[in-house]
Amino acid sequence: MGKRAAICAVAQVRNQPEYPHLRFQNMLLECFESIMEQTKVTFDMEKGIRNIITCSDDVFDARTISNNGVTDVVGAHFRGEEKMAQESINGLGYAMACILSGHDDVVLFMGHCKESQSESRLMCTNLAYDPFYCRPLGMDFRSADALQAGEYTEKAGITDEQLAKIVVRARRNGKKNPYARVNDDVDEKTVMSSPMVCDPLRALHCYPVTDWAYAMLIASEERAKEFTKNPVWMAGFGSCMDEYFMGDRDLASNFPLKNAAARAYAKAGVKDPKKDIQLFELSDHAAYQLPLWAEGVGIAGDGKGGAWIDEGGPDTFNVNLSGGHLNGNPLLLGGAARAIECFLQLRGEAGERQVKGVKRALAQAAYGGAGQHQAVLIMES
Amino acid sequence: MAEYWGVTVDDIFDTMQERFRPEGAAGVDAVFGYDIAGAGKWKLTVKDGAMKLEKAKDLAGCVASMVSDSETFVGVNMGKVDATSAFTGGKIKVEGDLGAFGKTGKLFRKYAPPKKEMSVKDYLADMFGTVVSRFKADATEGVDYIYGFDLGGKDGGKWTVFIKDQKCRLVTGIDCKTSVTLEFGEAKDYVDMILGKIDANSLLAAGRGAAIGDINIALKWGLYFEKYVDPMATGEPEQELLMLKKTISVNQAFVTGPIMGKFLNALKEKKIITNRCPKCGRMHFPAREVCAECRVRAEEWVEVGPKGQVRYMEYVYYSFPDPLTGESRETPYGMIMVLLDGCKGNDIFMHLIRSDQIDRIQGGRNEKSGTRVRPVWNEHRVGSIFDIKYFEIDE
C-alpha cells in the first residue's frame, strides 16, 4: 500500500437546536482547544500546522468569504487557510490531497454552522437554485427532496409506516450518542400524524435545525503516531456531482452516489460492501434517504429499500447508530458528523453504541437538493 | 436616379450578384425580366445554380417579367411596402408565367442598405439636436439645473442645457455658471460613451472625462431625458439582452457570545473596553475571543480612551449606500483610525470623524501625536458600533 493519510483526533461540541450563549467563533474555539490538548500539535512552520481547512457557508453566516469570520479561532493567521464551500466531507478529501501530494503533513480541519441564525434554512437553500428559473418557483432543498421522495417511495414501495419507523429509530439511536441533538421522543403514530410539509415529506421526516462545530487533525502516515496511538486511515474517497437542473436528473436512480461509491471502493479495495464494511453512516437529511442511500452504497437491493427496512437492514448493517443526520446535524456538516462517528467506532470509543470488531467504516455525504452531490469516504482502523 | 428611403433601383440590381443564393436556385433554369418604370429593363438568367444579370432593351424570351414603378420596387425590396398588397393593388404586375416568377423569391438574400458612416461632428449635431425632443418634462417637477458640456478636440464644441419650470432649453456655448459641466478632452470619447462603446467610469478614472460641479446632478441626466438612439443602429439588438434585477434577503439574528457581548454592552455605558492578550499584551478592537497571533484566549479586560489621537484618516469621496439605511451618505466623509488613550502600536479603533472637521485632522507619525479626538455618544444606545455617533476634535 502506498502512502496514507490519517485522522488523528476529533473534537466537537454537542449538536444543539440553538446555542444562545455562544457565537460560532466560541463553538469553534472549544473544538480548537480540545485538539491542541489531545495532540499537543504546534504551529511551528517546520513541524506543526502550516495549512488549515475550514468549512462554512456564506449565506448561513451572512458574510462573503465566511472563513474570514473564524481565522482567529482556528489558528489560521500567518499560514495557509482555505475554505471548503461545499459539504464538509469534501474537506477530508481535500486534506487527503494536501497530504498525499506531499505539500503538507499536518492539516487542521474545522467547520461550523449555526442554522439557528437564519430566519429559515429554506430561504438559505433557496439561494442555491438558479435565480431566474427555479428560485422564483420557491425551490429549496426540502421541496427538491420531496420530488425525489415521491419518485423513490413509489419505485421502492416505501410506505408512510416505514418512514415513521426510520424516524423513531434515528431518535432512539441518537439518545445513545452524547453529542447528538436532544429531541422529543416520538412513536410511529406521532410521526405519521405530523403535518405534511411537502408531499410525501412530513415535518418529522426532515432533520431538525441544528447548530454544531467540529475539528479534526489529519496527518501523514509518517507523522500520525506523533499525535495519537490509534490513527484512523482514510482509505478511499470518491465524489460525484449530478446535473444541476432537476429536470435533467433521474432522481430515484442513485446515479451520483453509485458513482462516488464505486470510486471510493476501488481505491480502498472494497469488493463487496456488505462483507467488507462493518459500519455505515449515511446522510439522511430526510427519512426516505436512509433506504435510498443504502441502495446507493450497495447494502440494499435496487428498488428494494422498503423490504430492506422491514427485514431490519439498518441494524443488520450497523447503519446510523449515531442517530444519523435525521436526528440533527447542520445540513452543511453532515459528512463531517458521519466521519467523526466512524472515527469513534473504529477507535472503540463509541460508548453505548459501540459495535464490536469494526475494521472498516463508510461515511457518506450529500449536498444540494435531492442529493445532487454525493461523496463517500472509506475509513479503516 | 431617384432615391426612395435612400436607395435607388440600381442599388437593388447592383447587389443582386452578391445576394444570390445558389441553394435557392436549385432546379431553376429560366430567364426572368424586370421592367421598372423610370429606371429601365433587366434580364436575369438563372441556370445550373448561377445567375447572370444584364440590362436589356426588351424582355423578349423571358418566361415571366415583373412590371412596377421604381418606388414600389425599392419599397418591396426594403420591406417598406407589402408585396402582396402591391400585387393585388395592381402596383406590381407579372407578365407571363406567374408560377415560374414565384421562384425568384428564393433566389436572393434580403436587400440591406449599406451603412453610412456618421462622423463625430454628425453625432454631436444629432445628440444635441435631439436633446429638447428627448426631454421628459413630467420627470422634472421642481428641478432647476444647468448642464454644461465642454467637449474638446477638432470636432468638439460647447453646449448648455437648462432645465427649469419643467421646460428644457438648449444653447450653444457656455456663458453662465452651471450645476455641473461635463468636460471631455476629446469629443469622440463623449460620443463613444453615449453610444455605449466606452464605460463612463473607465473614462473618468483615466482622466479623459470629468464632471465639474455636482456629480450627483450629472448622474440624474438619465432621469430627465430619453436615452439617445443611434440612427445608424439597425433597430434590432445584436443579441437578445435583458437586465434581470434581483435582491437577496435572508433575515438573520446573531448572538454575540460573551466577549462581543461585553464589549457592546460597555458602549451602552459610554465606556470603551478591550481585552488584552496575556502573552503579547496587545489589545483587540473589536474585542474578540483570542489573540490570533498567540493563539490564546484574551480574557483580561481593560477600559481605554474614550479620548485618543487620530493616527490616520482617509477621505471617502464616493457615495456609499449606508448599510443601515440604504441611503447614500453625504460625501466626502472621513474614516479614522484612532489610537485610544491607554493603547499602543497597532491597537487601533476605527470609526468616523465629524464631517465638518475632516479638513482639520492631522494623522500621527511615529512619536508625533495626531489630532486629539473624543467620541460623541448617541443619546439612545443599544449596544452597537453607532452608540458612538462619530469622533470630534477634542478642543
Side-chain angles (χ1 to χ4, degrees):
Chain A
M1 181 170 283
K3 291 188 169 188
R4 295 187 294 175
I7 303 177
C8 299
V10 302
Q12 57 180 319
V13 296
R14 185 166 195 158
N15 287 276
Q16 297 271 27
E18 185 184 0
Y19 273 92
H21 63 296
L22 299 180
R23 59 181 194 146
F24 52 72
Q25 289 88 343
N26 301 104
M27 293 159 61
L28 282 166
L29 183 57
E30 292 189 7
C31 301
F32 177 83
E33 288 176 339
S34 169
I35 293 284
M36 297 303 120
E37 177 63 30
Q38 291 178 58
T39 63
K40 313 292 180 209
V41 67
T42 70
F43 286 83
D44 181 277
M45 286 308 271
E46 294 294 321
K47 286 285 188 184
I49 296 166
R50 292 187 302 271
N51 194 14
I52 290 147
I53 300 169
T54 58
C55 180
S56 57
D57 183 279
D58 287 5
V59 176
F60 276 106
D61 284 9
R63 190 189 300 239
T64 302
I65 319 178
S66 55
N67 41 334
N68 275 334
V70 303
T71 51
D72 307 28
V73 289
V74 303
H77 280 201
F78 315 140
R79 61 210 62 240
E81 189 279 333
E82 282 137 18
K83 181 178 87 166
M84 177 51 62
Q86 239 281 24
E87 215 292 333
S88 55
I89 204 165
N90 297 285
L92 285 171
Y94 181 36
M96 279 173 82
C98 293
I99 285 172
L100 299 183
S101 70
H103 278 69
D104 286 297
D105 47 11
V106 186
V107 172
L108 178 64
F109 173 39
M110 299 187 63
H112 74 271
C113 190
K114 272 198 99 172
E115 289 190 335
S116 65
Q117 281 176 174
S118 295
E119 183 183 346
S120 158
R121 65 187 146 154
L122 301 179
M123 289 168 78
C124 295
T125 60
N126 173 254
L127 293 176
Y129 283 99
D130 180 276
F132 311 110
Y133 297 109
C134 304
R135 269 189 221 165
L137 306 180
M139 280 187 65
D140 54 47
F141 288 0
R142 178 180 287 171
S143 61
D145 282 357
L147 285 173
Q148 185 177 48
E151 231 174 278
Y152 173 66
T153 51
E154 191 180 317
K155 176 186 171 186
I158 307 263
T159 62
D160 205 27
E161 285 77 11
Q162 286 165 336
L163 292 174
K165 256 168 93 171
I166 292 168
V167 176
V168 172
R169 178 179 177 273
R171 297 205 168 186
R172 202 172 53 225
N173 284 345
K175 280 199 173 312
K176 296 180 192 160
N177 178 358
Y179 291 101
R181 190 184 195 277
V182 177
N183 297 319
D184 294 338
D185 277 332
V186 291
D187 57 17
E188 277 88 348
K189 222 179 116 191
T190 318
V191 178
M192 285 190 286
S193 57
S194 70
M196 191 66 86
V197 289
C198 195
D199 184 39
L201 293 188
R202 297 183 179 280
L204 285 172
H205 290 165
C206 306
Y207 84 95
V209 168
T210 306
D211 292 356
W212 190 54
Y214 66 86
M216 305 186 211
L217 189 75
I218 298 109
S220 65
E221 187 155 13
E222 292 80 7
R223 302 285 312 277
K225 291 279 178 185
E226 293 173 36
F227 307 110
T228 180
K229 285 181 195 143
N230 308 311
V232 166
W233 304 102
M234 294 192 277
F237 178 78
S239 69
C240 180
M241 180 68 84
D242 203 348
E243 304 215 36
Y244 179 49
F245 286 94
M246 298 288 282
D248 296 340
R249 295 175 56 192
D250 182 349
L251 292 175
S253 73
N254 256 326
F255 172 81
L257 178 53
K258 285 178 176 169
N259 228 305
R263 293 173 59 196
Y265 291 165
K267 278 284 172 201
V270 171
K271 302 249 168 354
D272 179 357
K274 289 182 183 173
K275 291 191 186 125
D276 299 343
I277 301 171
Q278 292 82 43
L279 183 116
F280 296 82
E281 280 287 318
L282 305 180
S283 282
D284 47 353
H285 304 152
Y288 78 92
Q289 292 181 349
L290 190 80
L292 178 58
W293 303 157
E295 291 183 20
V297 300
I299 53 174
D302 252 1
K304 300 277 195 311
W308 182 77
I309 296 293
D310 288 340
E311 291 156 8
D315 289 322
T316 309
F317 293 102
N318 296 320
V319 181
N320 287 10
L321 300 181
S322 63
H325 201 112
L326 194 50
N327 188 71
N329 300 125
L331 187 69
L332 180 71
L333 307 182
R338 308 280 73 71
I340 285 178
E341 176 68 4
C342 291
F343 175 92
L344 296 174
Q345 286 276 4
L346 286 162
R347 301 234 295 190
E349 294 170 3
E352 218 187 318
R353 61 198 189 285
Q354 181 66 48
V355 175
K356 276 192 187 148
V358 184
K359 294 277 177 232
R360 200 187 255 145
L362 177 150
Q364 172 260 348
Y367 210 50
Q372 183 200 355
H373 175 269
Q374 294 281 353
V376 169
L377 178 66
I378 307 297
M379 298 163 67
E380 296 172 357
S381 59
Chain B
M1 184 175 260
E3 283 188 11
Y4 305 96
W5 298 280
V7 172
T8 66
V9 172
D10 276 353
D11 289 338
I12 308 280
F13 282 107
D14 291 348
T15 56
M16 266 189 172
Q17 184 67 57
E18 67 201 53
R19 293 187 289 116
F20 183 67
R21 296 170 65 246
E23 63 274 26
V28 180
D29 183 356
V31 180
F32 304 100
Y34 295 87
D35 180 355
I36 312 300
K41 292 176 183 156
W42 284 264
K43 259 187 186 176
L44 173 71
T45 308
V46 180
K47 192 176 182 180
D48 299 333
M51 63 154 270
K52 195 178 86 177
L53 183 75
E54 55 199 328
K55 270 221 154 189
K57 289 232 164 66
D58 63 76
L59 298 176
C62 291
V63 64
S65 295
M66 170 202 254
V67 181
S68 165
D69 64 273
S70 294
E71 182 175 353
T72 305
F73 179 74
V74 170
V76 167
N77 273 280
M78 290 187 66
K80 302 280 187 193
V81 173
D82 179 54
T84 311
S85 38
F87 186 75
T88 52
K91 294 215 133 204
I92 294 177
K93 289 183 199 133
V94 172
E95 292 174 353
D97 184 344
L98 181 60
F101 194 82
K103 290 179 182 166
T104 60
K106 289 188 176 173
L107 291 176
F108 303 101
R109 285 197 311 277
K110 197 174 169 315
Y111 175 78
K115 282 195 178 181
K116 286 176 187 158
E117 292 278 312
M118 264 173 82
S119 67
V120 170
K121 219 175 176 60
D122 295 339
Y123 268 118
L124 289 174
D126 197 45
M127 284 172 179
F128 288 101
T130 56
V131 155
V132 174
S133 64
R134 290 187 283 120
F135 179 64
K136 297 194 280 189
D138 291 350
T140 60
E141 199 176 333
V143 174
D144 183 358
Y145 292 151
I146 303 171
Y147 289 91
F149 296 85
D150 182 353
L151 311 178
K154 67 179 169 56
D155 296 321
K158 293 183 182 181
W159 291 265
T160 309
V161 176
F162 297 86
I163 302 177
K164 194 175 182 179
D165 300 333
Q166 295 186 275
K167 289 195 175 63
C168 172
R169 190 161 59 89
L170 174 81
V171 171
T172 309
I174 302 176
D175 295 321
C176 62
K177 187 172 165 19
T178 62
S179 315
V180 62
T181 296
L182 295 182
E183 287 187 7
F184 284 74
E186 283 296 329
K188 184 175 185 308
D189 282 341
Y190 174 79
V191 168
D192 285 348
M193 180 185 81
I194 298 299
L195 295 177
K197 293 179 183 170
I198 306 184
D199 170 54
N201 287 329
S202 46
L203 281 176
L204 296 177
R208 286 155 68 185
I212 310 299
D214 190 336
I215 190 161
N216 288 319
I217 293 178
L219 294 173
K220 287 179 181 165
W221 175 270
L223 301 176
Y224 307 145
F225 294 90
E226 305 283 356
K227 202 169 181 312
Y228 176 72
V229 178
D230 183 356
M232 298 312 290
T234 57
E236 288 169 31
E238 288 180 19
Q239 292 165 295
E240 297 184 4
L241 300 180
L242 299 171
M243 185 69 76
L244 306 173
K245 292 196 173 172
K246 283 278 157 192
T247 304
I248 296 177
S249 162
V250 180
N251 288 340
Q252 288 174 313
F254 294 87
V255 302
T256 61
I259 306 292
M260 189 182 179
K262 196 175 178 81
F263 177 77
L264 292 176
N265 267 310
L267 292 180
K268 281 197 213 171
E269 310 299 319
K270 294 196 190 180
K271 284 180 183 164
I272 303 176
I273 61 170
T274 174
N275 55 348
R276 177 160 36 204
C277 172
K279 273 178 95 172
C280 71
R282 76 176 177 132
M283 312 225 237
H284 294 93
F285 288 109
R288 60 212 105 130
E289 285 71 15
V290 294
C291 170
E293 293 179 19
C294 303
R295 299 186 179 81
V296 292
R297 291 197 188 226
E299 288 173 328
E300 184 199 344
W301 289 92
V302 189
E303 185 177 346
V304 292
K307 294 182 181 181
Q309 53 153 307
V310 176
R311 295 303 289 175
Y312 184 77
M313 185 192 85
E314 75 172 8
Y315 282 88
V316 184
Y317 292 104
Y318 62 92
S319 67
F320 177 77
D322 190 311
L324 296 177
T325 61
E327 303 279 313
S328 285
R329 277 190 190 155
E330 288 287 311
T331 58
Y333 64 90
M335 198 139 56
I336 49 169
M337 299 172 96
V338 185
L339 188 65
L340 296 170
D341 294 342
C343 297
K344 59 180 174 8
N346 290 327
D347 306 342
I348 288 292
F349 185 74
M350 292 197 63
H351 217 285
L352 304 173
I353 190 74
R354 211 173 93 184
S355 58
D356 61 339
Q357 295 183 332
I358 52 178
D359 291 326
R360 295 170 54 200
I361 302 298
Q362 292 287 323
R365 287 279 178 284
N366 301 323
E367 296 306 312
K368 184 174 157 270
S369 174
T371 307
R372 296 283 304 166
V373 290
R374 63 185 174 221
V376 176
W377 297 95
N378 229 319
E379 241 166 78
H380 179 59
R381 291 181 302 282
V382 294
S384 136
I385 192 64
F386 281 118
D387 283 355
I388 298 171
K389 279 195 210 167
Y390 42 72
F391 281 71
E392 65 180 4
I393 297 172
D394 185 34
E395 53 191 358

